[in-house]
Amino acid sequence: MKVLAVVEVDLDRSPLGTKSRLADPIAGQPVLRRTLLRMLDANLGPIYVVCDPSQRGPVSDLVDGLDVSVETHEGGTPPYERI
């Protein structure tokens, strides 16, 4: 059975409200790219990276060459901020 993977990405803020580190390098690769490479190694089904339309360009640059799809979504305020 294949699993569909959806990775929600915000390059500005983390779910805790702190600065996002997804674009920061670890061992020469951005955190987001390293994470997606590990997911691809796991042989999941299709991987979708979902981001705000304003971040599509930078997110696409981070995942360039990987077998993932970048999609945009304007979801408004995240649920964790509605408390």
Side-chain angles (χ1 to χ4, degrees), residues 32-52:
L32 176 61
R33 187 174 187 85
R34 288 177 59 88
T35 301
L36 293 171
L37 285 168
R38 300 277 310 259
M39 293 174 73
L40 289 165
D41 285 345
N43 199 25
L44 301 171
I47 298 174
Y48 293 90
V49 178
V50 180
C51 63
D52 187 85

Side-chain angles (χ1 to χ4, degrees), residues 8-24:
E8 184 179 357
V9 173
D10 185 339
L11 297 178
D12 295 328
R13 284 192 336 206
S14 76
L16 296 176
T18 60
K19 179 183 179 289
S20 174
R21 302 287 183 184
L22 294 175
D24 292 354

Side-chain angles (χ1 to χ4, degrees), residues 61-75:
D61 290 344
L62 289 172
V63 303
D64 186 43
L66 299 181
D67 188 18
V68 300
S69 298
V70 177
E71 302 293 337
T72 60
H73 175 68
E74 290 186 59

